[in-house]
Amino acid sequence: MAGDELLRQADIALKTAKRSSDTAISFFDRKMESAVKQRLQLSQALNHAIERHELSLAMQPQVNKYQQLIGFEALLRWQHPELGEISPADFIPLAETTGAILKIGDWVLEKSCETLVRWATSSRSKHLKLSLNVSPIQFRRRDFVPRVEQLLKRTGANPNNLRFELTESLMAGDINFIVSQMNSLRELGVSMSLDDFGTGYASLAYLTQLPLDELKIDRAFVQDLDQHGKGELLTETLISLGRSMNLAVIAEGVETEKQFARLQELGCEFFQGYLFGRPSVDAERYFKD
Ligand code: C2E
Ligand code: MG
Ligand code: MG
């Protein structure tokens, strides 16, 4: 085998070991090579996904305890020409490693602002809030706030109806900078939500420092409600933590009437999940008469 081929294979094994959470040693095999090829092909396709109109935003309804619609979460969908629909859980991490997330994130932001402008033209939808997911890679950029400001100006979207969902992994970075970004965005009128709350890093210590408007209780804690006991205690604690900090508390992944009822008893005010509606590219079906 030629020297450079050996080095190339060693490099593939090294990258695989780095990505893996449970091993630091990794030997090259052919399967690894095809996985690398697949990632490469996928990341190249992702680079063109916007121009090729393969991305769309699915909207999932959010409701209050009377099941009245209060807004939507925008969830990214990628329709790959050969592979079909690819889950954001698979392609967002890839886009984050290649940097494609910046262009994609801009696209999501722009489409969301345009959607808000459209909703503003009808009395049935002008009060609705739109939550979108922001990757830590996007949020840590120095030019993120001016970009948002520019886009709000250009589209004329009402910032008071725009909400950013951030994840706890964001707090692993320079916390002072993150807090100042959040404050600047709130000055523009955009509100801040902490997504997947309870699953991430030990951000409890930071929680009081963060200028948040909403806590989003992760689906795992909603599922725990079916078992009672310890799981339920934890869910209750997370909800009362949010309420004691004067934050809106929303639960995600609500699938059953039983979960919905129990969450209300525990003090949760807002809800999202299949029980109220699946993500749909046609959000208007949720507020048409
Ligand atoms: P997330 O922000 O926590 O979104 C909630 C996920 O739970 C969505 O998965 C949604 O379809 C799913 N879900 C909602 N209700 C239920 C339910 O009742 N039961 C179950 N089993 N699942 C439910 P999805 O759409 O596959 O998105 C996965 C993740 O991808 C999101 O998690 C978010 O972290 C990320 N993501 C999606 N869109 C974007 C985006 O535009 N930008 C970034 N950076 N990340 C995104
Ligand atoms: Mg989210
Ligand atoms: Mg979530």
Side-chain angles (χ1 to χ4, degrees):
M1 186 191 297
D4 53 353
E5 175 64 9
L6 192 63
L7 279 175
R8 196 183 62 80
Q9 294 185 356
D11 193 47
I12 289 175
L14 175 68
K15 288 198 175 110
T16 308
K18 277 186 180 165
R19 264 203 300 276
S20 164
S21 56
D22 58 348
T23 175
I25 299 171
S26 171
F27 295 96
F28 174 82
D29 71 41
R30 288 280 156 210
K31 257 195 244 133
M32 249 178 221
E33 184 161 40
S34 70
V36 168
K37 260 195 199 137
Q38 233 176 20
R39 276 174 68 85
L40 191 69
Q41 278 169 354
L42 216 55
S43 73
Q44 280 166 348
L46 195 52
N47 274 331
H48 300 291
I50 295 179
E51 301 98 81
R52 292 180 184 159
H53 306 287
E54 291 165 4
L55 297 183
S56 57
L57 286 182
M59 300 287 174
Q60 185 175 32
Q62 299 182 330
V63 301
N64 62 16
K65 65 177 176 179
Y66 306 108
Q67 298 202 42
Q68 288 160 332
L69 185 66
I70 52 162
F72 289 91
E73 176 176 7
L75 293 157
L76 199 53
R77 296 289 174 263
W78 179 21
Q79 188 66 37
H80 188 285
E82 283 117 43
L83 303 173
E85 189 167 289
I86 302 177
S87 161
D90 294 326
F91 73 82
I92 296 283
L94 181 65
E96 286 177 333
T97 56
T98 65
I101 191 67
L102 296 176
K103 215 167 74 170
I104 293 173
D106 275 350
W107 183 88
V108 171
L109 194 59
E110 186 174 351
K111 291 295 155 207
S112 299
C113 287
E114 287 169 1
T115 303
L116 278 179
V117 171
R118 247 191 347 267
W119 290 352
T121 59
S122 160
S123 58
R124 274 175 317 189
S125 53
K126 66 178 184 214
H127 62 286
L128 296 173
K129 293 209 184 285
L130 199 157
S131 292
L132 61 90
N133 297 281
V134 180
S135 156
I137 310 277
Q138 251 178 304
F139 200 83
R140 288 193 193 117
R141 295 263 305 205
R142 302 240 157 229
D143 63 353
F144 182 64
V145 178
R147 282 172 107 92
V148 173
E149 190 172 11
Q150 207 181 24
L151 203 64
L152 284 168
K153 269 206 192 111
R154 182 155 64 77
T155 56
N158 180 359
N160 296 319
N161 285 341
L162 192 63
R163 178 171 294 149
F164 289 166
E165 294 193 3
L166 311 174
T167 53
E168 292 175 72
S169 61
L170 183 64
M171 312 314 155
D174 176 355
I175 192 79
N176 293 327
F177 173 65
I178 299 301
V179 168
S180 81
Q181 293 274 83
M182 290 172 79
N183 279 325
S184 308
L185 289 163
R186 286 178 97 213
E187 274 162 31
L188 294 179
V190 181
S191 55
M192 301 290 134
S193 176
L194 193 58
D195 202 355
D196 306 335
F197 182 58
T199 60
Y201 293 72
S203 69
L204 277 188
Y206 295 130
L207 199 61
T208 51
Q209 291 181 42
L210 298 176
L212 285 167
D213 301 278
E214 180 184 85
L215 279 190
K216 209 165 182 188
I217 308 288
D218 190 74
R219 179 157 63 94
F221 300 103
V222 175
Q223 282 171 336
D224 276 354
L225 291 179
D226 298 331
Q227 281 127 36
H228 296 282
K230 274 188 190 160
E232 191 172 275
L233 191 66
L234 199 52
T235 314
E236 183 173 13
T237 307
L238 296 179
I239 294 171
S240 35
L241 196 65
R243 298 212 52 173
S244 67
M245 289 168 64
N246 280 324
L247 302 175
V249 178
I250 181 165
E252 66 182 340
V254 184
E255 292 182 353
T256 66
E257 290 286 354
K258 204 171 135 201
Q259 292 168 344
F260 180 40
R262 195 68 194 113
L263 283 163
Q264 288 180 71
E265 283 165 10
L266 299 178
C268 188
E269 295 165 295
F270 304 104
F271 312 86
Q272 180 183 341
Y274 295 165
L275 181 63
F276 316 102
R278 298 211 169 223
S280 165
V281 284
D282 176 23
E284 280 165 40
R285 73 190 176 103
Y286 287 115
F287 52 82
K288 257 190 226 140
D289 303 312

